[in-house]
Amino acid sequence: MKQKLAIFASGAGSNAKKIIEHFKNSPVAAVALVVCNKPHAGVLDIAAAAEIETALIERDQYKKDGYAQFLKEKGIDFVILAGFLWKIPQPLIDAFPRGIINIHPALLPKYGGKGMYGAFVHEAVIAAKDAVSGITIHYVDEHYDHGDVIFQATCDIAPGDTPDQLAEKVHQLEHEHFPRVIEQLLTGK
Ligand code: GAR
């Protein structure tokens, strides 16, 4: 049976787009739902263009049960965070053991934690004059950017690279690897 994926995203949704495209005609899984907390986020347009159901969530209900019951009613098997910025509440973690993964735009455990997202991460990496950065795909637990690491990939930072240029390199890595790593997890291969 095809597994049903839910993507949680708060922003532009370029990763969501790649994942949707990857699983479009897949026998393994399909993106069944895009969950978003921002009414005007680009990811909602991406989902609409792909004719995928969307759910705009609100904070009180989210804090109560993380919409776990709603996801179960929709038959969701696996949850993917792709640029989603709210912390995952315990009831949602309990409802999907080893069933929620996140992508982070740096090499965890460096540059993780509350407030470390998107451009803030790349600004911190450039300010520290690091020579490499990259991506981390990891299981989600009750702490920000903390669960077991599934996959990492790196990119070089050239002297003079700006945070925007680094963001571009990191996005390329994300797009190249995230859909493939999800498929590997789902198939166990
Ligand atoms: C991605 O780079 C993702 O790694 C990051 O947000 C971006 C979303 O881009 N996530 C975090 O910073 C989470 N801490 P997208 O909306 O184009 O996919």
Side-chain angles (χ1 to χ4, degrees):
M1 259 249 294
K2 261 200 204 193
Q3 299 190 61
K4 286 187 166 190
L5 313 178
I7 298 177
F8 280 45
S10 308
S14 70
N15 278 285
K17 187 164 191 273
K18 291 288 173 188
I19 297 163
I20 289 168
E21 283 167 2
H22 181 90
F23 288 103
K24 192 158 185 247
N25 294 309
S26 165
V28 174
V31 177
L33 184 67
V34 168
V35 174
C36 180
N37 62 317
K38 292 233 173 89
H40 302 295
V43 70
L44 292 172
D45 299 328
I46 286 168
E51 296 182 346
I52 290 170
E53 184 180 347
T54 57
L56 197 56
I57 58 173
E58 54 84 25
R59 197 181 274 276
D60 286 347
Q61 178 64 34
Y62 181 76
K63 279 191 168 166
K64 247 185 248 156
D65 87 328
Y67 285 79
Q69 198 184 329
F70 171 73
L71 296 174
K72 290 289 176 186
E73 281 164 11
K74 293 277 174 199
I76 298 300
D77 300 297
F78 199 76
V79 174
I80 298 156
L81 311 184
F84 184 70
L85 300 182
W86 286 352
K87 195 170 167 205
I88 302 302
Q90 194 64 45
L92 185 50
I93 292 168
D94 293 342
F96 291 89
R98 285 296 224 205
I100 311 176
I101 63 169
N102 178 45
I103 192 159
H104 187 77
L107 296 171
L108 292 175
K110 288 174 88 176
Y111 306 108
K114 195 167 163 55
M116 270 295 173
Y117 59 88
F120 296 114
V121 175
H122 306 305
E123 282 162 15
V125 172
I126 294 290
K129 301 196 188 316
D130 286 2
V132 291
S133 190
I135 61 170
T136 304
I137 298 168
H138 65 94
Y139 287 107
V140 170
D141 67 11
E142 64 274 29
H143 307 292
Y144 271 114
D145 302 326
H146 180 265
D148 290 347
V149 171
I150 298 162
F151 176 85
Q152 290 187 308
T154 62
C155 58
D156 291 334
I157 304 171
D161 270 0
T162 64
D164 279 353
Q165 284 167 321
L166 176 56
E168 177 60 32
K169 288 182 185 177
V170 166
H171 257 122
Q172 274 179 22
L173 280 181
E174 293 184 327
H175 297 164
E176 181 185 344
H177 294 290
F178 201 15
R180 183 182 65 71
V181 170
I182 293 166
E183 175 151 351
Q184 271 178 357
L185 273 180
L186 296 175
T187 58
K189 286 180 199 154

